[in-house]
Amino acid sequence: MFGDSYVDHFKGVIDEVTVWQRTLTDQEVRDEARLLTSEHFAGVELVGGWRPDQGTGTTIPDTLSGYGRQMTLNGGASLNGEEITLDGVDDSASVPGPLVDDTGSFTVTALATLDGDKLAGKNAGYKGQVVGQRTADGSAWGLWYELTGKQTVLDPETLTEKTVPVGFWRFGRLNADGTFSAVSSDESALMDGRVRLTGVFDAQDGTVSLYLGGARNDEPRSFTAKLGTGEFAVGRGFTGGVWQHYLPERIAEVRVWAGAMPGWEQIEQAVGD
């Protein structure tokens, strides 16, 4: 009824349809998640989320992402209702990791309050990690605070002079020589006030970006990724083969996404309080 040329054409159409209807591989699904879904929004997947107000005792469940990784408090870290309280000496919290492919794009956010009095007792050059992922021998990446100096101010409550810390937020890696491969906050970090910190690693561009609230600070910086291993930690960092860089802070939330949020529009909508 039909000629050979028609049959061959029809078979070609069937073959083409079959190719497009096949099941995507796991890698293709991950790649699709990284594609821009619009000019200002990207496909991202929440892979971890912890709210201290959901915790009891020394554990905080992941009630947000569905992956179910539990955060465990270490040292003398405690829950005060809405926050994890860390003393900057030996307190921390950790999650079995790594949480994401650290060589692929990811976004991390934390709601943190620095303890100004405790930081005033540290020496200039002190570095503490808000949250971050370690490698086998050091830092893969993290949100950090670096104390760069101190200043004397008038305490409005007591009308006496007091020493306060001056430092900056960093997002990136603390290298073995003590330097940062990181992007920095534009202004000195706020003491004793809650701050929303968001770090973005864009694997396609090979850059890191830092946002305070919905505002990007500094310019995106080139960043060479390292594969993370072991724990994801809150309030401490792993360098020189040991845990150190304990940070006196209070943490009200931590979330991590696979995929890079491309700008303030998505960060305000997905991360904002």
Side-chain angles (χ1 to χ4, degrees):
M1 183 174 180
F2 299 107
D4 291 343
S5 61
Y6 181 88
V7 173
D8 290 342
H9 173 74
F10 186 68
K11 288 174 62 181
V13 172
I14 292 176
D15 289 341
E16 183 176 354
V17 172
T18 301
V19 169
W20 285 108
Q21 287 185 340
R22 68 179 172 79
T23 302
L24 295 176
T25 66
D26 289 343
Q27 183 60 51
E28 287 171 327
V29 171
R30 287 192 291 271
D31 290 343
E32 286 288 329
R34 298 187 181 103
L35 295 178
L36 285 177
T37 55
S38 70
E39 183 179 357
H40 301 295
F41 288 78
V44 297
E45 180 189 8
L46 185 67
V47 296
W50 300 272
R51 292 176 49 186
D53 61 2
Q54 301 295 311
T56 57
T58 59
T59 60
I60 304 171
D62 175 0
T63 60
L64 302 176
S65 76
Y67 279 86
R69 297 183 179 96
Q70 183 171 274
M71 180 176 288
T72 302
L73 306 188
N74 308 302
S78 61
L79 299 173
N80 67 6
E82 294 185 350
E83 300 170 309
I84 305 171
T85 300
L86 307 171
D87 66 1
V89 178
D90 59 2
D91 292 358
S92 65
S94 60
V95 181
L99 302 181
V100 295
D101 174 3
D102 306 283
T103 62
S105 297
F106 65 87
T107 303
V108 58
T109 191
L111 201 52
T113 303
L114 294 174
D115 188 321
D117 289 339
K118 287 186 170 63
L119 282 170
K122 306 288 187 181
N123 296 323
Y126 176 82
K127 303 171 181 70
Q129 185 168 265
V130 182
V131 299
Q133 175 64 52
R134 74 175 180 93
T135 64
D137 60 354
S139 165
W141 56 266
L143 288 164
W144 297 80
Y145 170 78
E146 181 176 15
L147 178 63
T148 57
K150 300 178 185 180
Q151 63 181 9
T152 301
V153 299
L154 182 67
D155 188 331
E157 294 184 1
T158 64
L159 297 181
T160 59
E161 290 185 339
K162 69 174 184 177
T163 300
V164 297
V166 177
F168 293 83
W169 303 108
R170 318 287 192 200
F171 174 59
R173 177 169 49 253
L174 180 59
N175 301 308
D177 62 1
T179 62
F180 279 103
S181 295
V183 63
S184 302
S185 61
D186 294 334
E187 299 180 355
S188 179
L190 175 69
M191 292 292 124
D192 303 307
R194 188 174 287 185
V195 178
R196 167 68 71 183
L197 301 164
T198 303
V200 179
F201 172 55
D202 188 324
Q204 184 174 357
D205 293 342
T207 60
V208 286
S209 301
L210 173 65
Y211 292 79
L212 270 63
R216 193 182 74 190
N217 279 226
D218 204 346
E219 293 296 323
R221 298 292 180 92
S222 295
F223 186 78
T224 302
K226 286 189 175 182
L227 189 64
T229 59
E231 303 95 322
F232 171 80
V234 178
R236 63 175 179 174
F238 193 79
T239 58
V242 298
W243 287 107
Q244 49 186 318
H245 308 295
Y246 290 89
L247 186 62
E249 61 176 339
R250 300 192 308 277
I251 295 290
E253 185 193 70
V254 177
R255 283 180 281 167
V256 182
W257 291 264
M261 296 186 191
W264 65 269
E265 293 95 337
Q266 185 168 5
I267 288 172
E268 278 198 340
Q269 179 173 308
V271 179
D273 303 302

